[in-house]
Amino acid sequence: MSNYHNPVMLQECIAGLNIQPNGTYVDVTFGGGGHSRAILQQLGEGGKLVAFDQDVDAQANAIDDERFEFIDQNFKYLKNFCRLHGAIPADGILADLGVSSHQFDKAERGFSTRFDADLDMRMDQGGQQTAKDVINTYNEADLHRIFGMYGEIQNAKTLARTVVTARLNIQINTIADLKSAIAPLIPRGKENKYLAQVFQALRIEVNQELEALQEFLKQSVDVLAPGGRLVVMSYHSLEDRLVKSFIAKGKFSGELEKDIYGNDDRPFEAVSRKAITATDEEIKLNNRARSAKLRIAVKR
């Protein structure tokens, strides 16, 4: 797992799970296995850990431990596969969202603006739609929507029109092609930030990340035992808003509902009111920790 990122706020995540030695736990973003190994260290012989990851590269990091089971699926299928593998009810679920350093560092995956490669960005390499498909086939209105909503790009409408105009002359197949097509729109001195926003928007759309996150959160209610812990770490505001809202209200929009007795009708209770963030010391050692927000909740 050397080319995978060091887990951010590892100790805070493990503490948040409140691990019981004979409990059942689910790591829905296995990656290099850093969190899973830390969980197994605290489990006894009767404990169980199930891990999900849709990236075929992550399978190479599977842990040889009879208490561990790897599931090569997107976490939006949490409930079905936890049921299939005897992991309901679970005592804790951990999600470390976003893209791993391993995925960014493999040029051919197309996640990073540092390299030239095909516009891919699929987390599940068996998936059908790539970033190339989005750039070359989406209409101007849909491109405007994803650049504005998922990339939070101020000139999203102009960007969408520029892409649609550029592809009339030649198909945009590679990262270099895309950079060239949108070069006049990139603010001077903010090139890296702007391109990161464009790539974030494309990646979220290709992988349907926000839809998958919402499915996962809704299913976590049925998977967790009462008193079970939900631990979710996000790296951008779109994800964090969904997590925060679901913990607070049990849904992603609207007001908190009450039951017939006037009690709050929500499945979780937040462990802390504010998100937990990394220490200055950790951020110095691991820049990825700078944007991380950790939220912990208990199933009511």
Side-chain angles (χ1 to χ4, degrees):
M1 61 172 283
S2 59
N3 59 350
Y4 280 78
H5 67 262
N6 293 323
V8 174
M9 290 191 274
L10 177 60
Q11 297 308 316
E12 291 88 338
C13 288
I14 299 304
L17 285 170
N18 190 33
I19 295 172
Q20 307 304 308
N22 293 323
T24 297
Y25 294 87
V26 186
D27 177 357
V28 300
T29 48
F30 179 70
H35 287 110
S36 283
R37 288 178 172 83
I39 292 169
L40 286 168
Q41 287 177 1
Q42 296 202 22
L43 287 181
E45 290 184 8
K48 181 184 181 85
L49 173 62
V50 171
F52 285 69
D53 206 299
Q54 63 183 329
D55 190 335
V56 67
D57 289 351
Q59 296 182 34
N61 303 313
I63 303 166
D64 184 14
D65 189 309
E66 61 184 15
R67 301 167 298 170
F68 175 83
E69 196 150 9
F70 181 85
I71 300 171
D72 58 344
Q73 292 288 341
N74 187 304
F75 60 35
K76 68 182 178 182
Y77 303 116
L78 174 74
K79 186 176 176 181
N80 283 345
F81 282 92
C82 282
R83 183 188 293 118
L84 185 64
H85 292 272
I88 298 178
D91 298 290
I93 301 174
L94 170 69
D96 180 5
L97 306 173
V99 184
S100 70
S101 298
H102 170 78
Q103 289 168 323
F104 275 126
D105 291 342
K106 288 193 75 173
E108 66 272 20
R109 299 294 294 274
F111 285 109
S112 177
T113 62
R114 291 177 291 143
F115 310 110
D116 187 25
D118 280 350
L119 285 165
D120 191 327
M121 302 193 196
R122 291 171 297 168
M123 290 184 176
D124 176 359
Q125 291 171 279
Q128 295 299 308
Q129 179 169 261
T130 66
K132 186 194 303 184
D133 298 325
V134 173
I135 284 292
N136 288 289
T137 66
Y138 275 35
N139 63 36
E140 185 177 323
D142 284 336
L143 286 172
H144 177 199
R145 174 182 58 81
I146 68 166
F147 288 142
M149 187 180 301
Y150 299 156
E152 299 179 294
I153 297 168
Q154 289 189 342
N155 62 350
K157 189 171 185 178
T158 306
L159 175 59
R161 186 180 303 120
T162 300
V163 168
V164 170
T165 302
R167 75 191 191 197
L168 290 174
N169 300 316
I170 187 169
Q171 185 162 302
I172 301 170
N173 292 325
T174 67
I175 292 171
D177 291 343
L178 179 59
K179 285 182 178 179
S180 176
I182 67 174
L185 301 181
I186 301 174
R188 189 170 298 175
K190 296 182 179 179
E191 293 87 352
N192 290 339
K193 180 181 179 182
Y194 188 85
L195 287 170
Q197 289 174 288
V198 173
F199 273 50
Q200 175 179 294
L202 291 170
R203 192 197 79 225
I204 289 173
E205 177 66 17
V206 166
N207 298 288
Q208 297 292 291
E209 291 178 32
L210 300 185
E211 291 85 352
L213 176 58
Q214 290 180 62
E215 278 299 313
F216 156 69
L217 290 170
K218 288 187 288 188
Q219 293 174 34
S220 70
V221 178
D222 294 328
V223 172
L224 280 168
R229 295 290 187 100
L230 177 67
V231 178
V232 184
M233 186 151 52
S234 58
Y235 296 88
H236 60 74
S237 60
L238 297 173
E239 291 173 335
D240 182 58
R241 281 199 293 267
L242 290 175
V243 176
K244 179 181 179 181
S245 179
F246 193 74
I247 290 173
K249 299 180 290 191
K251 56 183 185 177
F252 305 106
S253 62
E255 298 300 318
L256 174 62
E257 296 179 4
K258 306 278 188 178
D259 63 20
I260 59 173
Y261 302 106
N263 300 311
D264 291 347
D265 188 14
R266 59 183 177 186
F268 288 107
E269 194 73 49
V271 169
S272 60
R273 189 174 65 84
K274 291 187 175 182
I276 299 167
T277 55
T279 63
D280 291 340
E281 290 75 16
E282 180 171 4
I283 292 170
K284 287 177 185 176
L285 296 171
N286 185 359
N287 187 56
R288 178 179 164 84
R290 177 174 44 86
S291 58
K293 288 189 175 180
L294 177 65
R295 295 190 184 274
I296 304 166
V298 181
K299 168 83 177 287
R300 297 174 71 176

